[in-house]
Amino acid sequence: MDLEPAKKEFLQAMRGIISTVTVVSAKNGENKQAMTATSVASLSLDPPSMLVCINREASIHEVMKEGLGFCINILSLGQKNLADICSIKEKEKERFLEGNWSELENIPYNIDSQSNLFCNCVQAIQTSRSEERRVGKECRSRW
């Protein structure tokens, strides 16, 4: 990826921001995807709502559709391998082989995670040429 100097500097600065690492997972038919995400935020308590930012080139972009569910897997300390695999495009086929995965209402989730938030995707918002936001409502958790 050939980036302009300003973009490279921005990415370097962003690496210094500490945030919880999550893996977002979703399924549409037989297409099941997962990606490492740090751009995840709570939106509302009533109704329980979350916001996830997705690069439009990420494979999960085509799977997380309005009307379908997705899961935010909040990783535990021992899940660095899962975070790494889910952040490398060339390792897409290995993502669901790492750790213990199951499905709840057709939504894949990682059993080993610290917790899981299951959400219904109610809105896709294009924010730039490279990114979209997904709003998930009616989120419920599994501890």
Side-chain angles (χ1 to χ4, degrees):
M1 179 166 38
D2 188 28
L3 298 176
E4 303 166 21
K7 288 181 182 177
K8 285 182 181 177
E9 291 171 4
F10 178 78
L11 284 173
Q12 188 63 35
M14 292 295 96
R15 289 184 180 117
I17 295 177
I18 297 173
S19 63
T20 301
V21 178
T22 65
V23 166
V24 178
S25 53
K27 182 178 175 182
N28 186 356
E30 295 302 311
N31 190 0
K32 183 166 55 169
Q33 296 291 335
M35 73 162 208
T36 301
T38 53
S39 294
V40 174
S42 63
L43 281 179
S44 168
L45 181 59
D46 189 17
S49 305
M50 298 294 292
L51 177 75
V52 178
C53 298
I54 300 174
N55 186 306
R56 297 183 75 197
E57 293 180 16
S59 301
I60 201 167
H61 176 264
E62 292 304 316
V63 177
M64 283 181 69
K65 299 286 186 190
E66 290 181 14
L68 297 177
F70 64 91
C71 182
I72 300 168
N73 301 279
I74 301 166
L75 303 187
S76 59
L77 288 175
Q79 291 188 291
K80 182 182 181 325
N81 250 8
L82 180 61
D84 290 345
I85 288 172
C86 291
S87 67
I88 301 169
K89 188 159 186 71
E90 293 77 24
K91 295 197 174 196
E92 283 180 0
K93 296 188 187 315
E94 299 173 36
R95 293 176 181 175
F96 291 97
L97 300 176
E98 177 70 29
N100 296 305
W101 290 88
S102 188
E103 287 188 15
L104 178 67
E105 298 174 11
N106 211 34
I107 304 169
Y109 72 98
N110 185 271
I111 296 169
D112 303 325
S113 294
Q114 175 180 300
S115 59
N116 311 90
L117 290 168
F118 298 90
C119 302
N120 296 317
C121 185
V122 296
Q123 189 175 16
I125 306 164
Q126 184 172 341
T127 55
S128 70
R129 286 182 294 166
S130 64
E131 180 191 86
E132 283 190 6
R133 295 179 183 157
R134 297 291 195 266
V135 176
K137 286 193 176 178
E138 300 167 16
C139 299
R140 54 206 187 284
S141 60
R142 184 192 81 77
W143 290 89

